[in-house]
Amino acid sequence: MSRKALGILLLFFSLQVFGEEIVFTDSEKSLLEAFTPWPTVIPADPGNEYSGLKWAEALGAQLFNDPALSADQSISCASCHQSSKGFSDGFALPQSGVAPHVRNTQGLLNVGYQRWFGWDGGADSLWAASLRPMLSDIEMGSDIEGIATKLRDTTYLTEALEQNDLEIAALDDETVVVTVAKFIGAYMRTLASGETSFDKFLASLGVPDIEVRYPLSAQRGMKIFFGEGNCFVCHFGPNFSNGEFHDIGRPFFTGVGQVDPGRFTGIKRVNNDPFSLAGNFNGTKKEAEILKTTSVKFRQVNFGQWRTPSLRNLELTAPYMHDGSLQTLRDVIDYYAEIDPARLHSKGETILKSFTWSEREREDLVMFLKTLSEK
Ligand code: HEC
Ligand code: HEC
């Protein structure tokens, strides 16, 4: 029997497609348990004493939209992170920064579920991830003194601080900027997305007499995602991200002779970051959180690894990958289908292999991914 025929036969049995009904086995159902519940509680921003305080979240939302945080007062966080696009910008690479960038603007929905931030995990909290763009010479191009000077004249901020017994004049420049970053961190933690048709379908599985309309094509795609595709291994848990770093073989050259080594630099960044949880500005000083930061060490294997992205609300955040190099979800599926394991970077993931997916199977996977977006 040819490989293809065998594949089709195996698929037939593993899918258990009888007529129009698709059956999920008990072992599939127990695996799917790990992808519930949704929505679920988002942990507090680590080291952020303002996380969870309503007034700080509201202030953070205002600051997120305030161009005062950039060098020439023309760029706000929202210039790149637009709410209508799941807080991404729709470009392969950002167009609003002070200089050309080599990484795709990440969407911010559900970002609080992550434990490392940035494609390379270069920040260990949402507030540290907020300081980075302000001080970055390719994003907002500002500096501590410049930002603090402008913030001291920002009436909505000084008034809100006073109402909460904080006197801006009593704080040094660095503390002013860190405090504001913590408000923004508190706000970003609230950016959670809601229930999707996938979540409704999952909740209905195993509940007698409940019927949820969920396209058969998506169900077939789901079987591949949680089956032979092995996608669930990295895109794991209710947020479809294991929060860890992997090399799926996307190019890391950013120009002639230039590379973006991903996690390799991310770990160095955390180690050298004065605003990490190991530094003086950690406002909650939780042992376990500090240990997470101090125990991270880089190894050669981290070269070319990127944090597994969440797959929720992908319909809002095209194009895809750390460099925005794939335009559509179909392009992503075609990429996975045609991976050449021999050409994966030397330390590539052994779990990845190429597939002989038909046109229909590829479309089924795309359909499944689309059901992870809110409609
Ligand atoms: C010029 C465009 C641009 C601006 C302005 C910008 N960002 Fe970003 N943002 C990015 C890019 C690009 C990344 C990915 C960076 C990386 O991986 O190194 C990112 C990543 C992030 C992340 C990590 C998301 C994740 O999933 O881990 C957070 C949080 C974030 N930005 C918050 C902010 C905040 C807060 C501001 C304003 C203070 C801001 N950004 C301003 C482009 C921008
Ligand atoms: C070995 C872990 C791993 C496996 C297995 C895996 N992925 Fe990924 N996935 C990643 C990583 C890491 C990235 C980001 C890579 C980059 O930016 O270069 C990614 C990116 C993506 C993206 C783009 C998301 C975005 O926001 O840019 C989609 C969609 C996706 N994967 C779907 C799948 C599907 C479908 C499968 C199964 C066929 C799969 N993944 C298997 C780790 C994995």
Side-chain angles (χ1 to χ4, degrees):
M1 195 184 292
S2 76
R3 257 188 73 190
K4 198 171 173 196
L6 185 69
I8 293 169
L9 200 66
L10 280 177
L11 195 69
F12 178 80
F13 283 114
S14 66
L15 287 181
Q16 299 186 29
V17 183
F18 300 111
E20 285 289 82
E21 197 193 354
I22 294 172
V23 179
F24 287 86
T25 62
D26 285 347
S27 69
E28 281 170 329
K29 281 185 196 160
S30 70
L31 170 61
L32 287 166
E33 285 276 301
F35 289 73
T36 63
W38 191 269
T40 172
V41 184
I42 306 183
D45 184 25
N48 186 344
E49 63 274 42
Y50 304 104
S51 186
L53 302 179
K54 289 277 168 269
W55 65 267
E57 292 169 3
L59 210 44
Q62 260 179 300
L63 290 155
F64 190 86
N65 289 286
D66 194 337
L69 301 178
S70 67
D72 67 357
Q73 313 214 33
S74 70
I75 311 165
S76 74
C77 309
S79 306
C80 293
H81 297 287
Q82 298 161 19
S83 61
S84 62
K85 298 191 174 85
F87 296 92
S88 65
D89 59 10
F91 297 113
L93 303 174
Q95 304 295 307
S96 314
V98 290
H101 209 299
V102 293
R103 293 188 187 162
N104 176 255
T105 302
Q106 289 172 294
L108 298 179
L109 287 174
N110 312 314
V111 65
Y113 289 103
Q114 295 291 350
R115 50 195 288 261
W116 302 105
F117 304 92
W119 284 104
D120 62 0
D124 61 0
S125 68
L126 285 173
W127 55 275
S130 307
L131 284 162
R132 189 190 45 80
M134 294 182 216
L135 306 178
S136 153
D137 52 14
I138 54 175
E139 291 182 31
M140 297 162 92
S142 205
D143 56 69
I144 296 279
E145 200 192 333
I147 304 170
T149 308
K150 277 174 254 163
L151 290 176
R152 288 181 198 283
D153 290 334
T154 303
T155 320
Y156 74 82
L157 176 70
T158 49
E159 284 180 1
L161 286 176
E162 264 169 44
Q163 279 161 23
N164 291 283
D165 299 327
L166 281 164
E167 175 84 60
I168 200 161
L171 308 175
D172 63 43
D173 283 356
E174 216 170 26
T175 310
V176 168
V177 180
V178 170
T179 305
V180 154
K182 285 179 175 174
F183 296 156
I184 300 177
Y187 161 65
M188 290 194 292
R189 173 180 174 259
T190 66
L191 304 177
S193 70
E195 202 180 35
T196 65
S197 55
F198 165 79
D199 301 307
K200 290 192 187 118
F201 177 67
L202 220 53
S204 76
L205 277 180
V207 182
D209 304 327
I210 289 200
E211 287 240 351
V212 171
R213 280 183 55 212
Y214 189 68
L216 280 172
S217 164
Q219 295 187 41
R220 289 192 300 262
M222 192 170 154
K223 285 268 186 185
I224 304 175
F225 188 94
F226 292 99
E228 70 157 340
N230 271 331
C231 315
F232 71 95
V233 175
C234 303
H235 297 283
F236 190 81
N239 193 30
F240 286 85
S241 167
N242 60 359
E244 292 300 334
F245 299 82
H246 300 277
D247 177 2
I248 63 162
R250 295 302 302 159
F252 44 57
F253 286 96
T254 55
V256 180
Q258 284 172 317
V259 292
D260 186 346
R263 184 60 177 149
F264 194 73
T265 34
I267 295 177
K268 283 189 192 169
R269 271 162 58 173
V270 172
N271 287 342
N272 297 329
D273 185 1
F275 305 110
S276 84
L277 296 176
N280 293 335
F281 293 95
N282 182 331
T284 55
K285 303 251 184 284
K286 291 192 180 143
E287 284 290 332
E289 289 173 353
I290 297 173
L291 195 65
K292 181 189 89 177
T293 292
T294 50
S295 56
V296 62
K297 301 269 178 311
F298 68 87
R299 294 170 296 146
Q300 203 55 40
V301 66
N302 298 127
F303 203 94
Q305 290 184 329
W306 307 97
R307 195 192 68 206
T308 309
S310 163
L311 301 181
R312 287 190 177 268
N313 285 298
L314 285 176
E315 285 201 272
L316 298 173
T317 59
Y320 305 106
M321 303 295 168
H322 71 273
D323 55 358
S325 54
L326 295 178
Q327 286 300 315
T328 64
L329 291 175
R330 178 57 195 261
D331 293 340
V332 175
I333 298 302
D334 288 343
Y335 172 71
Y336 277 110
E338 285 147 31
I339 275 182
D340 178 357
R343 287 192 52 199
L344 277 179
H345 310 137
S346 55
K347 305 262 174 24
E349 302 284 333
T350 47
I351 195 166
L352 295 162
K353 53 175 195 239
S354 62
F355 296 98
T356 50
W357 288 329
S358 64
E359 175 65 24
R360 187 177 89 158
E361 287 165 319
R362 292 176 192 213
E363 283 303 311
D364 288 346
L365 269 164
V366 169
M367 181 60 108
F368 166 68
L369 290 177
K370 287 188 174 168
T371 67
L372 304 177
S373 289
E374 287 165 283
K375 289 275 153 42

